[in-house]
Amino acid sequence: MTADAIALDPGAGLRAVIDLRRARRRRRIGDQAWGDMAYRAYTTGLAALVAVVFLSGLVGDSVLDAAGRADLAATAPSWFGLVAAVILLVGFRSGSRGGPLAMEAPDVQHMLLAPVDRSLVLRRPAVWILAYGVLGGVLVGGLVGSLVDQRIGEALLGWIASGALFGAAAVALALAAAMVTSARFVPSWLPVGLGWVFVAWAVADVVGEGPTAPTTYLGRVALWPLGFSAVSALPLVAALGLAAVGLAVVGRVSVEQARRRTALVGQLRFAVTQRDLRTVVLRRRQLAAERPRARHWFPAPPRWFGRRFPVLARDLQSVARWPLVRVLRVAVLGTLAGLAARGVWAGTTPLLVAGGLAVYLAALDATEPLAQDIDHPALLGSAPVPEGLVMVRHLAEPVIVMLAAGVVGVAAAWAVEPDPEVLRVGALCLVPAALAGVAGAAITVVSDAVLDESQEAVMPPEVAGPRLLFRTVWPPLVAVLGFLPVLVARNAAGTGDPVAAAGTAAIPLLLLVGVVMLWVRFRADIHASIAEAGMGGTR
Amino acid sequence: MSGRRSTRREEPDELPALRVLGLTKHYGDVVALAELDLVVPEGEAVVLVGHNGSGKSTLLSMVGGVLEPTDGQVVVHGEANDTLRARALRSWIPDNPVLYDDLSVREHLEYVNRMHGGTGDGPEIDDLIERLGLSGREDGLPSQFSRGLRQKTALAVGLCRPFALLLIDEPFVGLDASGRLALLELIEEVRDNGATVVVATHDPEVIDRFDRGIMLADGELVHDGAATDLHDLLSADDRHAG
C-alpha cells in the first residue's frame, strides 16, 4: 500500500486497545482458580496477623510519659522523613529504568507501536498501579499508626489516619516521581542523584545536622495527633500535584526501556517467587544495565600466576572488569557495614543485623565468578579436577574483595570518631566478618533454586516449610554471625582487652567458615552418595 | 558498490520511504551500529544481510521504533520516526514472535487490524490466514503452537494491517517450504501494491527476489548495491571466515 492511501484514525485504534484489554480481562476472570485465590488471601491475612502481633510485641504497650512524648515529637518526624526519602529514591531509580509500569511484551509490541496516543494507552495501567501502591501505603501506614498509638494512647483513629496519610503520600510521591523520571525530560542520572540528595539530607536531619529536610515535613504528617501544622500539609499537596503530572506524562515512556523491562521484570518476579536469589541478582543487574567494562581497572595477573592459580587469575580479571556502579556499591556496602559495626561498638546491638546484611549483599557481588561457573555446569564439569575443588578455589577472590571492602568499612568507622581502639578492634573483626560474608554468599550461590529441587514437591508441608525458611534465612544469618566479635569486644571493653576477646570470639566463626568451605568442596559428592543410597534402597 | 555511506540519490520531488541519517547505536563501549546513512525509495525491496552481530536487527529495531538511536535519526515517508503517522505507515515484524498467550490467531489479527484503523475482519484477513497455512488453526492459541506456526502467526499479525513500509527480521527461520513460498509471494504482492520492503535474512536463496542488497559487518555498511552482487560477497565472506 502506498503512504497516501493510509489513513490515520487514533480514535478507532484506542477503542481497539480498550476492547482488547476488556476481552483479556473477561478471559482472565473466567480462567481464575477462585479456590487458589481464596487460599492465597487466607495465608496472606494470616501472615499479616502474625506480623502485627509480632510488631506489637516489639513495640510494647507501656504508655509514654510527657518527656517521652516530647522526645518522640522532636525526633520521630526526621526518621519518618528518612523512610519517605528512601521510598522516593526507589521511585526515582525505578523511573530511570522505565518503571513503574511493567507492561507485557505483546502490549509493548502491539499497543505502543500502534498509531494511538501512548498517554491514553498507558494512563489506565498507571492509575491502577498508583491506586494499588497508595492502598499498600495506607495499610502499612495505618498499621504503623496503630502501633504508635500503643505507646501514646488516646487517639487510635487519629494515629491510624495520620499513619495511613503518610504512607499514601510517600508511595504516591515515589510512584509519581518514577512516572515523571521515565518521561525522560532530563537525563535519568539527574533524578536519581536528586533522590540521593533527599536521602542524604534526611540522614543529616536524623543526626541533627543541617536545615530541616523536605521529607521531614512529610514525616510530621505521621505525628499529626501530637500537633498539627499547616506547613506539613504541603508535601501532601506536592504528592497530589506530582501524581497528576506523572499521569499526564506517562505516555513519554521509552519503548526501548519498556521492552527491556517487560522481559526482565517478569523473570525477576518469577525468580522471587522461587527464592532464586542468583536469578534475582542477575535480572536486577540487567535491569540496571550493568555491563562489564571494556577496559580493565588493573592489569591482568602475570602468566606464571595464571598457570599456577588459574581460577584466581580468571576471577581477578572478572573484578578488573567490574562496572563502576558495582565498585561503588561494594564500597558503599563496606562503609555501611563499618558504620553499623561502629554503632554496635557504641551500644546499638540491633545494628549487628544491618552490618551482616550489608556484608552479605557485597559478598553476593564478589562471588560473581563462582556464580557464573555454576550457571554453566558443562563448563564447570569439563575442568580436569573435581567441581567442588574449582568452587572452593573460586572463593579466594571474594575473600580478597571483602577484605578490601572491610578496610573501607574500618576506615569509615574510624572517621566517625578517630579512636585507636576502634582501629585495633576493627582490623581484627573485619577478618571474620569478611569471611562469614563470603561463606553466606557461597551458600546462596551454590545452593540450587527451589525450582530445581524435585524432592521439594513431594515433601510434606511440615518439612518443606521449615526447610524453605532455613534455606532462605541461613545464608544471611551466617554473615550476621560474622559481626559477633564486635559485640564480644564491646562487652569486654570495660573489663579487659577487647581485641583479645574479639579474637577468641572469632575462632568458632572461622571453624564455621571452614565447615561451609568443606560443604562447598564436597557437596556434590555428598548429594551423589545420598542419591546412590536412595536408589539402592528402592531396588 | 562498496563503502560506508550510501551514494544513492533521490529525485528532488520524491519523498523516500525511509531515510536514515547518521544512525548510531552504542551499548556502553560496544558499537552495535556505526554511523549509517541510507535512503530507500518508495516501492523498493531491500534485503539486508550480514553475520550475527553485524547490526541488521539493531538497524531494523531502530527503524521499527523499539530501539532508541544513540545518535542520528530515522524518517519514514517524511515523518519523524515516533509520530503517530510514522507508526501507522510502518510495520515491524521482529525475529522472535511476540504474541498474547490468551488470544487466538483470529483475535490477534482482529485487534491489531483495528488498532491501525481497520474493521478487524474481512476477506483480506481470511485470505492471509489461508495463504500462511493457518486455516483450521485460527481459533487456536499461538502459545500452544510450534515455533513455525507462531512465526506464521507473527507474520500474519504484521501483514494484517495497512502499512507502507514493511520491516521483517529473519522471517524464514522456522518456516516450512510452503510457508516460505507463501511469504515470498506475499512480500512480492505488498511490493506490487506500492509498499517498501526491508528484510533481514541469513538465507542466500532468497536474495535474488530483492532489488537491492545491503550488507553490514560489525555495525558498518560494507555493501549497498544490486542484491545479486551479495552472492559473491557472501561466498567470499564465508571463505574468509572458514
Side-chain angles (χ1 to χ4, degrees), chain A residues 59-77:
Chain A
V59 169
D61 51 9
S62 59
V63 176
L64 290 178
D65 55 15
R69 282 181 176 217
D71 186 43
L72 185 78
T75 57

Side-chain angles (χ1 to χ4, degrees), chain A residues 50-122:
Chain A
V50 170
V52 170
V53 171
F54 175 72
L55 289 173
S56 298
L58 276 185
V59 169
D61 51 9
S62 59
V63 176
L64 290 178
D65 55 15
R69 282 181 176 217
D71 186 43
L72 185 78
T75 57
S78 58
W79 281 101
F80 276 106
L82 179 59
V83 170
V86 171
I87 295 172
L88 190 58
L89 173 65
V90 170
F92 280 128
R93 277 168 60 93
S94 168
S96 72
R97 298 165 186 180
L101 293 177
M103 303 177 74
E104 289 180 62
D107 277 351
V108 175
Q109 166 78 18
H110 303 301
M111 291 182 186
L112 295 192
L113 295 186
V116 183
D117 185 348
R118 285 180 190 149
S119 298
L120 300 176
V121 171
L122 295 177

Side-chain angles (χ1 to χ4, degrees), chain A residues 232-254:
Chain A
S232 60
L234 283 178
L236 300 181
V237 179
L240 278 175
L242 199 62
V245 174
L247 290 174
V249 300
V250 73
R252 285 177 52 99
V253 70
S254 150

Side-chain angles (χ1 to χ4, degrees), chain A residues 1-3 6 8 13 16 19-20 23-24 27 105-107 109-110 112-116 118 184 254 256 294, chain B residues 25 29 66-68 77 82 84-85 87-88 92 94 98-100 102 107 111 114-116 157 163-164 193 195:
Chain A
M1 192 176 280
T2 59
I6 293 173
L8 198 59
D19 288 347
L20 186 154
R24 295 190 69 213
R27 196 155 300 168
D107 277 351
Q109 166 78 18
H110 303 301
L112 295 192
L113 295 186
V116 183
R118 285 180 190 149
R184 299 170 297 153
S254 150
E256 179 176 343
Chain B
K25 184 70 183 177
D29 299 333
V66 290
L67 270 190
E68 285 163 22
H77 284 280
D82 209 28
L84 291 185
R85 178 91 184 134
R87 283 188 243 158
W92 171 67
V98 184
L99 302 161
Y100 291 100
D102 51 358
E107 284 168 325
Y111 290 117
R114 284 180 55 201
M115 280 183 217
H116 290 265
V157 171
F163 55 84
N193 288 335

Side-chain angles (χ1 to χ4, degrees), chain A residues 27 72 92 110 143 153 176 257 280 314 321 347 360 371 417 427 429-430 432 434 447 452 497 499 508 510 517 527:
Chain A
R27 196 155 300 168
L72 185 78
F92 280 128
H110 303 301
L143 170 65
Q257 285 196 341
V280 171
R314 173 255 178 274
R321 282 179 175 274
Y360 172 68
E417 195 183 321
C429 289
L430 81 86
S447 303
D452 297 336
D497 181 5
V499 177
L510 295 179
M517 301 284 175
H527 277 213

